[in-house]
Amino acid sequence: MTPEALSAALFAIVSDRLAAVPDVTITESDTTVERPRNRDHGDWASNIAMKLAKRLGTNPREFALELAPLIQRIDGVSAVDVAGPGFINITLDAAAAGEIARTVVEAGDSFGHNAVLAGHTINMEFVSANPTGPLHIGHTRWAALGDSIARVLRASGADVTTEYYINDAGSQMDTFGLSVLAAAKGLPTPEKGYPGPYIQTLGQRVLAAVPDLLDKPDDEALAIARDLAYEYQLAEIQQSLTNFHVHFDVFFSERTLHAPDAQTGRTAIDDAEARLRAQGHVFEADDAVWVRTTDFGDDKDRVLTRGNGVVTYFAADAAYYLSKKDRGFGEKIYLLGADHHGYVGRLKALAAAAGDDPDTLTALIGQLVNLNGAKLSKRAGNIIELDDLLDWLGADALRYWLGRYPADSPLSLDGEKLRSRTNDNPVFYVQYAHARTRSVARNAADAGVTHADFEPALLVHPTETALLGALQEFPRVVAHAAELREPHRVARYLEELAGYYHRWYDACRVLPFGDEELAPIHGTRLWLNDATGQVIRNGLELLGVSAPDRM
């Protein structure tokens, strides 16, 4: 029996009890059962009696005592106890509790998936680093978190599009081009230009692609150097993300917002201004065009176009937001760096000015990460590159450790601990648990233990009860991680599950011992072993981490 099935049965019981009571209704969320902190109190607990007693004009304990015999009749429930002021503690019989092992194995990769966000269409933008250099450690945290958030959202029924906004318009691109061109000419880096050996490499690649580059007029040579180097650098960024197991559905170019339409001659930014003007939120003052975002809680109004006709970054933000809206995304999630707190208010004000509910826009603010032992890039000099981190630590350790903490917590990690192969390293601890389940399965096959036998009532050892209870929790953990945009909940759950599994492994045998004959308990425990491996595998997949069969 899953907690969802038990909650549904409890909902039916309480709904019947309330059928004759006017103006008192409940939802299925009211009858959600929770794990008691002390497992001696049962498998599941409900506070429904305490929630409803006042509305019913009765004592919560008395109402709980009224519900208890009805709950006792639920198939698979072995005991119901009313504790304290009205908590209802429910114990399942071993067979009902053990069924989760078969449920997990038969569901396979889909176990843990749920529908709490079904119908939600979400655009999630993250990383969005300038295409003027390699990805660094700051981008690394957002890449890991953003990808994991997208995975738990999808596992919970949401239709998610992950998007990388390429900042490929503006003065930084010309500065980048000038830096690459200077490198191609063998000249020093221009003032305020991009330094580093990677610029030298880009300059050499551009010169190899266009051997007569230096014979061309300066403006033409600059455009060629800028655009080719941009192409090479963006391709490198995309490859780094692939190596980090991070996938983007869309790479959206800022240049497209500035490009005139072939038919109308208007840009997306022009259209954004017209649409906001039609909403009544655009005005002219001080020789500039503004949006009155203070009407929607922003700390100041925002300029769209300066007096010299140059559009602002906010104008591009407005056009980009409306692009997301026009593409049908009912919800937009932005992952922003620690220095972008002031950005949240203007984004929400922009959503409101566009006629949307600002609550459909979520901005997650991340904090800085410090990694002890990491070395500055030899190519870029003043940053710690993602590629160097992957070479040093590997994608699995980096993904897991960055994913096991909330986004808003400053993070300081020890590189050597990430590399360690001990139980003090959580990613090793979890991956080793998975590898152990696969080893047990291989040994079971050699010994002739199969899934032919499954008698869940035999799973009565305390470590089995604890392990089964943990397996039942996985779909709820995934759902909560999705609703709260907190994939670290999956990582912490996996660490607990691995602990339950290791303790069970030490206490209970799947294989016959010595000359012991095969018995139903062996096949039944194989189901439990394989169910645990499946859940660990599914959880690691949500974190973008591999589940090795051998370690």
Side-chain angles (χ1 to χ4, degrees):
M1 162 142 342
T2 66
E4 291 76 21
L6 181 58
S7 297
L10 183 57
F11 175 76
I13 289 171
V14 178
S15 295
D16 286 345
R17 169 62 177 78
L18 299 178
V21 181
D23 302 324
V24 179
T25 59
I26 61 170
T27 65
E28 290 193 20
S29 63
D30 291 316
T31 58
T32 298
V33 292
E34 302 288 345
R35 277 274 178 217
R37 291 185 179 181
N38 186 340
R39 290 303 301 275
D40 291 339
H41 295 164
D43 294 308
W44 301 101
S46 171
N47 64 353
I48 185 63
M50 300 172 68
K51 284 183 179 180
L52 294 179
K54 185 175 180 180
R55 292 157 63 187
L56 294 174
T58 187
N59 178 281
R61 183 174 176 84
E62 290 179 0
F63 186 42
L65 289 169
E66 179 185 341
L67 295 175
L70 302 176
I71 298 171
Q72 181 79 57
R73 297 175 192 167
I74 298 173
D75 188 31
V77 171
S78 65
V80 180
D81 176 58
V82 175
F87 291 105
I88 302 173
N89 294 325
I90 303 168
T91 301
L92 304 180
D93 63 44
E99 273 294 333
I100 190 65
R102 178 157 54 189
T103 299
V104 172
V105 173
E106 291 180 346
D109 293 345
S110 68
F111 183 76
H113 288 209
N114 60 86
V116 297
L117 295 181
H120 291 246
T121 304
I122 301 172
N123 177 282
M124 197 169 75
E125 180 206 333
F126 58 105
V127 182
S128 298
N130 289 342
T132 54
L135 296 178
H136 58 65
I137 191 170
H139 306 131
T140 299
R141 186 175 193 186
W142 272 135
L145 280 171
D147 186 70
S148 294
I149 291 171
R151 291 175 188 235
V152 296
L153 291 173
R154 290 185 179 117
S156 296
D159 181 1
V160 182
T161 295
T162 52
E163 191 151 313
Y164 185 119
Y165 181 66
I166 312 169
N167 293 278
D168 54 4
S171 60
Q172 84 275 4
M173 294 304 298
D174 287 333
T175 302
F176 176 60
L178 285 168
S179 303
V180 173
L181 184 58
K185 292 179 177 180
L187 299 176
T189 302
E191 184 178 0
K192 296 184 179 180
Y194 291 90
Y198 84 96
I199 291 291
Q200 302 297 321
T201 301
L202 288 172
Q204 294 165 9
R205 291 185 65 187
V206 170
L207 196 56
V210 186
D212 62 344
L213 176 72
L214 304 186
D215 299 329
K216 297 182 182 296
D218 285 348
D219 287 350
E220 183 180 352
L222 172 60
I224 292 172
R226 179 192 61 213
D227 292 345
L228 271 180
Y230 160 50
E231 177 186 330
Y232 297 151
Q233 190 59 55
L234 180 60
E236 180 185 306
I237 288 171
Q238 292 171 327
Q239 186 59 54
S240 296
L241 291 167
T242 297
N243 295 342
F244 199 37
H245 309 156
V246 174
H247 170 77
F248 282 95
D249 299 307
V250 175
F251 282 85
F252 189 102
S253 167
E254 183 188 353
R255 290 181 178 181
T256 63
L257 302 175
H258 297 264
D261 182 85
Q263 301 296 323
T264 66
R266 294 174 57 82
T267 68
I269 292 175
D270 294 332
D271 290 341
E273 178 185 323
R275 291 168 68 174
L276 292 173
R277 189 182 295 276
Q279 294 274 5
H281 307 307
V282 173
F283 66 98
E284 283 82 22
D286 302 326
D287 198 30
V289 179
W290 302 68
V291 179
R292 191 173 281 107
T293 52
T294 52
D295 286 351
F296 305 102
D298 199 2
D299 58 348
K300 62 181 180 180
D301 294 326
R302 303 290 171 177
V303 176
L304 285 174
T305 308
R306 299 188 180 95
N308 60 4
V310 176
V311 298
T312 63
Y313 286 118
F314 183 76
D317 289 340
Y320 184 41
Y321 177 86
L322 290 171
S323 166
K324 293 180 180 181
K325 178 177 180 176
D326 293 345
R327 284 182 280 150
F329 298 111
E331 299 171 51
K332 298 94 178 168
I333 300 176
Y334 293 77
L335 275 61
L336 305 175
D339 57 345
H340 282 67
H341 277 280
Y343 211 71
V344 179
R346 77 184 71 169
L347 278 175
K348 285 188 171 288
L350 175 58
D356 294 336
D357 180 351
D359 288 339
T360 61
L361 186 151
T362 301
L364 302 176
I365 301 294
Q367 293 297 319
L368 300 177
V369 56
N370 176 55
L371 184 54
N372 297 330
K375 297 179 180 179
L376 292 177
S377 168
K378 292 180 180 179
R379 298 192 311 147
N382 59 346
I383 64 170
I384 299 171
E385 279 194 59
L386 169 58
D387 287 349
D388 290 341
L389 292 174
L390 291 176
D391 289 342
W392 178 38
L393 302 171
D396 281 350
L398 203 52
R399 283 292 304 255
Y400 190 93
W401 274 90
L402 291 173
R404 74 185 293 264
Y405 294 94
D408 58 359
S409 63
L411 189 54
S412 182
L413 302 177
D414 183 344
E416 289 307 315
K417 186 169 185 179
L418 270 67
R419 288 164 51 87
S420 69
R421 295 174 63 84
T422 68
N423 288 343
D424 290 334
N425 181 358
V427 65
F428 175 83
Y429 187 64
V430 173
Q431 286 185 317
Y432 181 67
H434 180 267
R436 179 172 265 185
T437 68
R438 303 309 302 142
S439 174
V440 168
R442 289 191 297 271
N443 292 335
D446 291 342
V449 180
T450 71
H451 284 164
D453 288 319
F454 183 61
E455 297 183 19
L458 298 175
L459 300 175
V460 295
H461 191 276
T463 61
E464 291 171 329
T465 303
L467 182 55
L468 289 165
L471 294 176
Q472 291 172 344
E473 285 285 278
F474 184 58
R476 186 177 300 181
V477 170
V478 176
H480 287 173
E483 290 175 314
L484 299 172
R485 282 64 164 149
E486 293 182 344
H488 72 274
R489 293 172 178 270
V490 175
R492 299 307 176 115
Y493 163 82
L494 290 177
E495 292 162 30
E496 291 185 8
L497 179 63
Y500 286 125
Y501 176 76
H502 288 311
R503 287 188 288 275
W504 172 75
Y505 177 91
D506 290 339
C508 299
R509 292 187 59 84
V510 173
L511 275 62
F513 185 74
D515 295 331
E516 181 185 3
E517 292 187 3
L518 286 176
I521 186 61
H522 301 119
T524 302
R525 283 178 173 164
L526 178 62
W527 281 88
L528 180 54
N529 175 81
D530 292 354
T532 306
Q534 184 70 63
V535 170
I536 294 175
R537 192 157 57 250
N538 293 359
L540 289 173
E541 173 66 22
L542 294 176
L543 298 174
V545 177
S546 71
D549 284 354
R550 290 178 169 85
M551 290 183 71

